[in-house]
Amino acid sequence: MANASGFFTPSVPHLRLKIRPITSFGFSAKVVCFGNIEGAEKHASTVSPSSQSPLPRFVSKGCKLVGCGSAVPTLQISNDDLSKIVDTNDEWISVRTGIRRRRVLSGGDNLTTLAVQAARKALDMAKVDPEDLDLILMCTSTPEDLFGSAPQIQKQLGCKTNPLSYDITAACSGFVLGLISAACHIRGGGFNNVLVIGADALSRYVDWTDRGTCILFGDAAGAILVQACNSEEDGLFGFDLHSDGSGQRHLNAAIKEKESNNALDSNGSVLGFPPKQSSYSCIQMNGKEVFRFAVRCVPQSIESALEKAGLPASSIDWLLLHQANQRIIDAVATRLELPSERVISNLANYGNTSAASIPLALDEAVRSGKVKAGQTIATAGFGAGLTWGSAILRWG
């Protein structure tokens, strides 16, 4: 599997491997596994030759991004609309954030349906049938079931082979972690087609009377189909992943207990039992601290991923960041010395859509002809946890 430093380290269960050190920090390096495995000789002496399974000598599989799709709710809320419910205005919001409008789930909309719509578009572009999917990763912090939404997406796509489907919770970093997870499953698990979905409905956890947070968030879904290929076509060059739990105080939606009217509370038989029902609070954010964190850590992460990939910053065709705040995007681009015409941003139209923001922006850029096959993209997600990560990849 791959570790957070961008290395790829295959493993064989129950056997300790001696693996030649990897001289390349990128994903495209071949990893050679020697046959002199500690303990294998002893194991071989007790097992008949006919029952032994051959061990892989090296891993040379690559992965590439071959399809994308996105979906947004129908309801659009402008800055002027928000000015009718909180003390704000279009200029105040747009100057500080770059956001003009956002989409919000309403009526019969639900997040799972958006995710399925985005997934179908990605599969259509990639010309891959749902039956050929090996894995579905749903990157979200707002599932419609406490136990996860990915299996419902698998069901609605009509995947009759029952591919593994599970959720990844890492807030605005979720989609980047999903991409790296997909690569690990392909390289280390033999998967061929992995669907990575980023979808969030943070509007459900926004305090619409707090102008500091309600102006920021929108709902959306985006999807990418990651496909196995030979090492020469590999499209994921390097990555860098981190988390820092000490920053949780700056951005969170913590669990809170409800006031209980349960009749059992008055029994006094067992103190503190039964537990009170709980729910999640609205999003709490220290905007200044989150801004400082992003403009410091994101450029460092991208530079680290570039170093591991063995690529200079000048090789980047496009910078695609989590769409949180235009000032953050501009600051990171300046640090990396990338001109604005090489920066992808659709923040003005959708706001911060959390795990959906990167695939949503990429889908629009690909379908508009801005991003072309063979171009190199530096992407990074960052947010609650705190978590952050970056990847250097090639489209197509």
Side-chain angles (χ1 to χ4, degrees), residues 233-269:
E233 298 177 294
D234 189 34
L236 189 51
F237 305 130
F239 67 91
D240 182 73
L241 304 173
H242 299 276
S243 63
D244 179 8
S246 66
Q248 186 259 358
R249 66 189 186 277
H250 300 312
L251 179 55
N252 62 77
I255 200 167
K256 63 177 182 179
E257 291 185 340
K258 295 181 180 179
E259 291 298 325
S260 176
N261 294 319
N262 194 321
L264 292 176
D265 287 348
S266 61
N267 283 353
S269 57

Side-chain angles (χ1 to χ4, degrees), residues 33-322:
C33 301
F34 284 100
N36 55 325
I37 302 171
E38 296 179 7
E41 295 84 1
K42 180 178 180 181
H43 175 76
S45 66
T46 60
V47 180
S48 65
S50 61
S51 65
Q52 296 184 55
S53 299
L55 293 173
R57 303 297 293 190
F58 62 86
V59 176
S60 60
K61 215 174 195 181
C63 60
K64 57 184 179 180
L65 283 60
V66 296
C68 58
S70 62
V72 297
T74 55
L75 178 62
Q76 179 173 276
I77 303 296
S78 68
N79 290 345
D80 289 332
D81 293 328
L82 288 180
S83 70
K84 298 173 184 177
I85 61 174
V86 291
D87 181 18
T88 191
N89 58 66
D90 177 64
E91 181 181 7
W92 192 91
I93 297 172
S94 59
V95 167
R96 287 164 175 78
T97 68
I99 300 168
R100 296 281 186 178
R101 58 195 69 85
R102 71 283 297 146
R103 301 296 184 97
V104 175
L105 286 174
S106 65
D109 291 339
N110 68 72
L111 190 65
T112 302
T113 299
L114 286 184
V116 171
Q117 291 172 358
R120 290 193 187 282
K121 292 176 183 178
L123 291 171
D124 288 344
M125 179 183 289
K127 295 180 172 57
V128 171
D129 191 275
E131 289 292 288
D132 294 324
L133 287 175
D134 301 301
L135 174 66
I136 298 172
L137 301 176
M138 173 64 160
C139 308
T140 184
S141 297
T142 57
E144 292 177 325
D145 187 312
L146 176 64
F147 302 118
S149 293
Q152 290 304 307
I153 295 170
Q154 171 252 311
K155 174 188 174 184
Q156 292 189 34
L157 286 175
C159 304
K160 297 178 182 178
T161 56
N162 298 327
L164 174 64
S165 306
Y166 65 88
D167 287 22
I168 293 176
T169 302
C172 303
S173 304
F175 188 77
V176 172
L177 270 65
L179 282 180
I180 304 308
S181 298
C184 291
H185 280 289
I186 288 172
R187 296 171 180 278
F191 292 68
N192 290 312
N193 291 302
V194 180
L195 182 63
V196 185
I197 302 168
D200 267 309
L202 290 181
S203 66
R204 293 169 170 169
Y205 299 92
V206 164
D207 178 357
W208 291 100
T209 66
D210 175 16
R211 76 168 186 170
T213 56
C214 76
I215 63 174
L216 300 174
F217 299 102
D219 306 332
I224 302 290
L225 196 285
V226 184
Q227 191 170 74
C229 63
N230 60 48
S231 59
E232 288 73 23
E233 298 177 294
D234 189 34
L236 189 51
F237 305 130
F239 67 91
D240 182 73
L241 304 173
H242 299 276
S243 63
D244 179 8
S246 66
Q248 186 259 358
R249 66 189 186 277
H250 300 312
L251 179 55
N252 62 77
I255 200 167
K256 63 177 182 179
E257 291 185 340
K258 295 181 180 179
E259 291 298 325
S260 176
N261 294 319
N262 194 321
L264 292 176
D265 287 348
S266 61
N267 283 353
S269 57
V270 180
L271 185 63
F273 181 83
K276 294 179 181 180
Q277 291 185 337
S278 60
S279 62
Y280 290 102
S281 68
C282 291
I283 296 170
Q284 307 293 317
M285 183 176 71
N286 183 330
K288 290 183 179 179
E289 289 299 325
V290 172
F291 180 87
R292 289 175 185 145
F293 145 69
V295 299
R296 180 182 72 255
C297 293
V298 173
Q300 292 174 354
S301 181
I302 292 175
E303 289 168 347
S304 178
L306 282 167
E307 181 180 357
K308 293 163 187 172
L311 296 172
S314 59
S315 67
I316 298 173
D317 294 305
W318 296 104
L319 177 65
L320 174 54
L321 303 182
H322 162 54

